[in-house]
Amino acid sequence: SGATRPLVAGAGFDGNPLFSWDGQHVAFVSDGGKASWARRANVFVIPAEGGDIRKLATTFDEVPEIFAWSKDNRNIFYTEAFKTSRVVYSLPMDGKAPKMITPSTGVFTSPSISHAGDMLSLIYEESALPPQVAVMNVKDMKMKALSRLNDDFSKRRHAKTEVVKWKAKDGKFDIEGLVTYPAHYEKGKRYPLILNIHGGPAGVFTQNYTGASSPYPLQVFSDNGFAVLRVNPRGSSGYGGDFRVANRNDWGYGDYEDIMGGVDKLIADGVAHPDSLCVTGWSYGGYMTSMIITRTNRFKAAMVGAGVTNLLSFTGTADIPGFIPDYFQGEMWDRTDVYMKHSAMFGVKNVTTPTLVIHGERDARVPLSQGLELYMALKRLGVKTQMVTYPRTPHGPQEPKFIQDISERVVSWFDEYCRKRNRPAGASLGLK
């Protein structure tokens, strides 16, 4: 008839609706009326004709993305981050716990189900394996690769990447990161280290293909003799809802300790040279980079990419004005001292680290002024700095030549301050 009626009308987020095969039920994802940027959501089911809403078992990370029902209408398939992986789960309608149906290593994305309901298709990748299309039989969950689209990349040398773990300084969490070793790594030699921090803060570093195009080209860093550490500190996705909200009111402090714990581990393990440390990140990663250089002079160089440097001015100029008030649980006029404490600009006089600032000129998420504030202050303080802006560029670089230019500038900046100036006579890649 064309008439419409509300089926679910909650106060928060209700989305991703999906009919069962028999048309009797609709599954959907909801935050239960508790809206938050560090979202916690679960899968719910409601009769298609309306009625009582039923919550299914809580998922591991509490941010499920449902994509299909099983043919018998007894299970719902969804994807979700699991630590440094992204996997597929089966969630029973009877309320039992979800079951992981793909391996817990690698990254599974873009899932869909066949018209017959008997096969799943996915894109699969690992740190040294470029993305390929695979299918999985729903009955026995056996997976088979279909494509060889990136075979030319598969044949190239890939530096080793592995998961490393350590305990948070306050003992609250186990922290994980991914370390990519230098291309010609030799155990017993120490190497310059690039600390790379993800955005979000609810982002997560996963076992994606390390040869992919990026402003942070991991294999290029490796070929240039750097080890790279990518940390998932508190506030990251992939480790559960409690972990993801553990940085509320605490940006730049608890997460700082988590991140520095990973640096200290690689130094203690004999991988990283303590006098050749570099740090970089984009967005929230840029925020953390700017905070880190106000709190320590251990890093010989930094690159701040589209970084939030002043929470007060950011809140008044960004396209997400409710973002910081949500994380800091109050408006800037009520919590001015807190906003200042957690902003790099109010500790900038402590910075001595040579810092490259990179920003897109059309960035509405983290406006260009955030980078300019840091750059201008460093110039006035006499700190070695450069700022490069890119036309037409929003919050993340999109044009291939810009991505290449950024990566080359980062390599050059870090090579100058973290490797060449700290390389003993006669040493090539490894530092004694």
Side-chain angles (χ1 to χ4, degrees):
S1 68
T4 62
R5 59 184 173 83
L7 188 64
V8 177
F13 169 82
D14 301 300
N16 198 193
L18 197 63
F19 272 102
S20 58
W21 286 82
D22 60 11
Q24 298 300 304
H25 291 87
V26 175
F28 64 99
V29 175
S30 174
D31 61 15
K34 298 177 181 178
S36 169
W37 280 95
R39 185 161 66 93
R40 302 179 80 155
N42 284 284
V43 178
F44 293 77
V45 175
I46 187 172
E49 294 301 316
D52 293 335
I53 298 174
R54 183 159 56 93
K55 177 184 173 297
L56 301 187
T58 300
T59 68
F60 172 76
D61 200 37
E62 297 183 73
V63 281
E65 295 182 16
I66 60 177
F67 68 92
W69 286 71
S70 62
K71 188 70 173 181
D72 61 9
N73 303 298
R74 294 179 179 177
N75 293 276
I76 297 165
F77 298 119
Y78 70 93
T79 64
E80 195 172 58
F82 175 75
K83 300 182 179 180
T84 61
S85 301
R86 186 165 189 88
V87 298
V88 178
Y89 290 89
S90 173
L91 180 63
M93 273 282 284
D94 62 7
K96 291 181 180 177
K99 178 183 178 183
M100 190 183 300
I101 63 174
T102 55
S104 60
T105 57
V107 175
F108 296 85
T109 56
S110 303
S112 63
I113 196 166
S114 63
H115 289 296
D118 60 341
M119 300 288 287
L120 300 180
S121 67
L122 316 116
I123 295 177
Y124 176 66
E125 60 186 297
E126 294 179 2
S127 297
L129 178 69
Q132 300 289 3
V133 178
V135 291
M136 174 179 286
N137 189 301
V138 172
K139 183 175 292 185
D140 58 18
M141 299 304 173
K142 289 184 178 180
M143 191 170 68
K144 175 185 177 182
L146 289 186
S147 71
R148 301 186 58 146
L149 298 172
N150 299 296
D151 243 14
D152 51 337
F153 285 94
S154 299
K155 295 171 184 175
R156 294 176 179 266
R157 181 191 65 212
H158 291 83
K160 179 182 178 182
T161 297
E162 66 180 7
V163 178
V164 290
K165 303 178 182 182
W166 59 96
K167 196 76 175 178
K169 185 177 180 179
D170 59 11
K172 291 182 178 180
F173 301 106
D174 292 320
I175 309 299
E176 288 190 336
L178 291 162
V179 57
T180 299
Y181 292 91
H184 302 283
Y185 175 71
E186 295 179 36
K187 192 171 183 179
K189 283 187 176 181
R190 293 183 181 271
Y191 293 81
L193 176 70
I194 296 175
L195 170 63
N196 189 191
I197 306 168
H198 65 62
V204 60
F205 282 126
T206 60
Q207 298 170 39
N208 293 88
Y209 178 54
T210 53
S213 172
S214 169
Y216 301 111
L218 297 175
Q219 292 297 331
V220 175
F221 289 157
S222 174
D223 280 346
N224 279 270
F226 292 95
V228 183
L229 175 63
R230 295 172 289 155
V231 180
N232 290 329
R234 67 190 67 191
S236 303
S237 292
Y239 298 85
D242 290 342
F243 191 88
R244 193 166 47 256
V245 301
N247 65 341
R248 278 182 175 161
N249 290 307
D250 195 38
W251 284 25
Y253 287 85
D255 43 11
Y256 168 84
E257 297 293 352
D258 294 346
I259 290 167
M260 296 304 294
V263 174
D264 291 337
K265 174 177 173 54
L266 290 192
I267 293 172
D269 290 348
V271 175
H273 196 289
D275 296 328
S276 293
L277 305 177
C278 314
V279 58
T280 186
W282 202 273
S283 191
Y284 167 80
Y287 163 84
M288 279 304 307
T289 300
S290 68
M291 283 293 289
I292 284 171
I293 60 177
T294 68
R295 300 197 59 191
T296 179
N297 61 3
R298 292 176 64 183
F299 293 91
K300 304 305 179 186
M303 193 287 268
V304 176
V308 178
T309 61
N310 184 339
L311 299 185
L312 290 165
S313 56
F314 169 78
T315 302
T317 56
D319 65 349
I320 47 172
F323 182 67
I324 298 300
D326 179 65
Y327 265 101
F328 284 86
Q329 299 178 310
E331 298 288 354
M332 61 180 178
W333 47 82
D334 294 322
R335 311 206 71 199
T336 305
D337 290 346
V338 174
Y339 278 51
M340 291 172 64
K341 175 184 175 182
H342 296 271
S343 297
M345 289 310 302
F346 297 96
V348 72
K349 67 179 181 181
N350 299 322
V351 178
T352 61
T353 305
T355 301
L356 174 63
V357 180
I358 291 180
H359 225 107
E361 292 182 359
R362 295 295 180 90
D363 193 339
R365 180 55 43 92
V366 180
L368 178 62
S369 57
Q370 291 291 299
L372 284 169
E373 285 192 44
L374 178 63
Y375 171 70
M376 294 296 187
L378 295 180
K379 287 285 284 186
R380 291 177 63 81
L381 288 164
V383 177
K384 178 70 176 178
T385 185
Q386 290 181 11
M387 184 169 185
V388 183
T389 64
Y390 291 83
R392 304 180 299 277
T393 299
H395 191 47
Q398 299 174 343
E399 299 178 40
K401 286 188 176 181
F402 287 173
I403 294 172
Q404 179 178 348
D405 187 77
I406 292 170
S407 64
E408 290 174 352
R409 287 179 186 275
V410 173
V411 170
S412 177
W413 189 263
F414 287 169
D415 194 58
E416 174 68 19
Y417 292 100
C418 295
R419 196 164 71 102
K420 288 181 180 177
R421 295 190 180 187
N422 299 285
R423 186 189 303 157
S428 54
L429 296 175
L431 297 172
K432 299 294 185 183

